[in-house]
Amino acid sequence: TENRVGNQKIFWLRKIGELSLQCAMDGQEELLDTAWGAYEQIRQSGYAQFNDLYNLAAAYELGERLEDSRRLLEEMTVRYPQEYQVPLRLAYVIYLTENKKSVRLQDYTAVDKYYQQARSLLSEAGQDPDGDSGIVQMGEIIRQLKEQGKLSQ
């Protein structure tokens, strides 16, 4: 019965996290603390699945906790090496982080590195990277960074 209670708790924490994150994304940012709390409890329980961690990283990003998001996504690149969404989101989080720095301190090299990693993972999986909207959007950001001279051609 103890395991069943634990599973039920994780189930409900997952629902709370999902709903809180969705509401926060729809403009109710006050629910971010609830989403963080739910997903952090799942993470600490040892029962976290890919979507739990990915949603926690997204919640951190939404709440401007970019370093927390980056650290979690970097851990996820090791734990889930075949999931292209992880380096793709990591590229975007690093992009946001670099944008907050003064121009002379900005370094977008890692943005391009993780973008290329995501493209490669999709290609290796037999999918066309240019058929993925996230890849296309990040590709546009990379193109703009190169045009602005913030990333080498």
Side-chain angles (χ1 to χ4, degrees):
T1 56
E2 188 175 309
N3 194 28
R4 201 177 93 232
V5 171
N7 288 342
Q8 283 182 326
K9 181 179 180 186
I10 298 300
F11 172 84
W12 289 113
L13 283 170
R14 192 168 282 134
K15 289 292 176 205
I16 290 167
E18 289 168 358
L19 292 171
S20 301
L21 179 56
Q22 189 59 55
C23 289
M25 291 170 70
D26 290 341
Q28 295 179 312
E29 283 90 7
E30 67 274 9
L31 291 174
L32 272 175
D33 284 337
T34 305
W36 294 330
Y39 285 124
E40 286 167 352
Q41 282 185 59
I42 295 170
R43 185 179 183 194
Q44 291 165 0
S45 76
Y47 291 106
Q49 297 173 353
F50 174 81
N51 284 340
D52 301 320
L53 298 174
Y54 193 77
N55 287 346
L56 179 56
Y60 284 152
E61 177 189 321
L62 188 61
E64 300 289 320
R65 291 175 59 180
L66 298 178
E67 276 307 308
D68 289 331
S69 184
R70 181 178 182 161
R71 273 194 302 276
L72 178 54
L73 289 165
E74 285 171 344
E75 289 172 25
M76 289 179 71
T77 61
V78 175
R79 189 167 171 184
Y80 302 101
Q82 300 306 313
E83 296 288 347
Y84 82 94
Q85 303 100 316
V86 177
L88 183 59
R89 178 155 232 133
L90 184 52
Y92 187 67
V93 167
I94 294 169
Y95 169 73
L96 294 175
T97 303
E98 293 303 314
N99 284 346
K100 292 181 177 296
K101 296 179 181 178
S102 66
V103 174
R104 63 184 183 79
L105 296 177
Q106 291 173 340
D107 180 1
Y108 293 95
T109 311
V111 175
D112 191 41
K113 172 189 151 192
Y114 286 113
Y115 165 73
Q116 296 301 335
Q117 184 181 346
R119 285 188 65 88
S120 294
L121 287 171
L122 262 181
S123 293
E124 289 167 15
Q127 297 178 33
D128 177 14
D130 295 320
D132 181 271
S133 62
I135 293 280
V136 171
Q137 289 171 338
M138 185 52 68
E140 183 58 26
I141 289 170
I142 297 292
R143 187 187 63 73
Q144 290 172 4
L145 289 171
K146 288 179 178 178
E147 272 182 12
Q148 297 165 359
K150 294 181 178 183
L151 197 56
S152 61
Q153 303 283 344

